Amino acid sequence: VFGRAMVIIGIYNYSTTNMHHQMVEKVIRSKILFFDSNPVGRIFTRFSKDISVLDILLPGVTVFATFGLFRTITVVITLAVIHPLLLIVVALALFLMILILKRALGPLRESQRIDSVYRGPIHSSFTNVVNGLVTLRAFERIPYFRGMFIDQLEKSCNVTFTYFAINRWMAMTFDSVCVMFTLSVASFSLYGKGKIDNDVLAFSL
């Protein structure tokens, strides 16, 4: 487990370092049209939030996902040896999880896309206010920019809340499928009590 975690983290660190270097090189060598069509805040978001997701979030999720995948494969093999009829329950649970995943992936991707769109103006507004603070104070335009900044921040928070709501819905439905699978296994175990060969039971243990 420790070796797998170190390998995965090393792969992600190497990948994100190369990606960051390529991004810097592309941005530095970009034409002026690129900076006219892409706000500074959007570029900041790519270098801050997106890279931090690759550096911090994905390695832990990958370690957890690989552990769950190997454990699931082991459980399915054991169930197939003990009671082959349980493979029907496994197939049904897998089908339901694929349906849930297909239903949730679209809104999750869209919320992430909208979050990157709304997060860019926040960085741009903050940079503009800091650079022109003296002028804004002289013309008493700080309340206007404060209201605009709060409006942009509220839009970004709404998108983030939507993302977490979809994520929680997906987690609850996955847990419901897992509960159904556990109840099915328990029911088959009670039904097969005294009918399973002791050698097979010793193998499963």
Side-chain angles (χ1 to χ4, degrees):
V1 171
F2 178 76
R4 182 183 63 212
M6 293 300 296
V7 168
I8 290 174
I9 291 174
I11 290 173
Y12 273 107
N13 284 336
Y14 180 77
S15 302
T16 53
T17 301
N18 288 339
M19 184 180 297
H20 186 271
H21 290 339
Q22 291 180 11
M23 287 171 61
V24 171
E25 185 178 356
K26 293 291 185 182
V27 170
I28 289 175
R29 298 177 182 273
S30 295
K31 298 180 180 180
I32 300 300
L33 181 63
F34 172 78
F35 297 99
D36 290 338
S37 58
N38 291 286
V40 178
R42 188 177 300 171
I43 300 174
F44 285 164
T45 302
R46 292 290 179 268
F47 279 95
S48 59
K49 182 177 180 293
D50 294 352
I51 293 294
S52 67
V53 167
L54 295 175
D55 282 335
I56 299 171
L57 182 63
L58 282 184
V61 172
T62 305
V63 171
F64 182 75
T66 52
F67 173 76
L69 179 64
F70 292 146
R71 186 176 180 181
T72 302
I73 292 173
T74 307
V75 170
V76 169
I77 292 173
T78 306
L79 291 177
V81 171
I82 295 175
H83 210 300
L85 287 178
L86 284 174
L87 291 177
I88 299 175
V89 181
V90 172
L92 179 61
L94 184 62
F95 176 73
L96 290 176
M97 286 186 174
I98 291 174
L99 284 181
I100 294 168
L101 190 62
K102 284 185 177 180
R103 187 177 180 87
L105 273 183
L108 283 175
R109 289 174 181 165
E110 188 67 17
S111 62
Q112 285 292 304
R113 186 190 66 80
I114 297 175
D115 180 61
S116 65
V117 171
Y118 283 137
R119 191 177 293 269
I122 294 176
H123 295 297
S124 300
S125 299
F126 186 77
T127 304
N128 293 335
V129 168
V130 170
N131 292 332
L133 191 59
V134 177
T135 306
L136 294 178
R137 286 180 176 175
F139 288 94
E140 298 181 352
R141 298 294 291 173
I142 290 181
Y144 170 78
F145 281 92
R146 181 190 293 120
M148 184 176 65
F149 182 78
I150 291 174
D151 182 61
Q152 293 169 350
L153 193 64
E154 185 176 355
K155 289 179 180 178
S156 179
C157 291
N158 288 338
V159 175
T160 304
F161 176 77
T162 304
Y163 172 79
F164 280 110
I166 298 169
N167 203 349
R168 289 297 91 200
W169 174 84
M170 187 170 62
M172 289 177 62
T173 49
F174 277 157
D175 288 343
S176 301
V177 174
C178 292
V179 168
M180 181 198 71
F181 177 75
T182 305
L183 290 175
S184 303
V185 171
S187 301
F188 273 106
S189 301
L190 291 175
Y191 173 76
K193 184 179 180 181
K195 300 179 181 179
I196 300 176
D197 190 13
N198 290 329
D199 295 335
V200 176
L201 184 60
F203 168 76
S204 66
L205 293 176

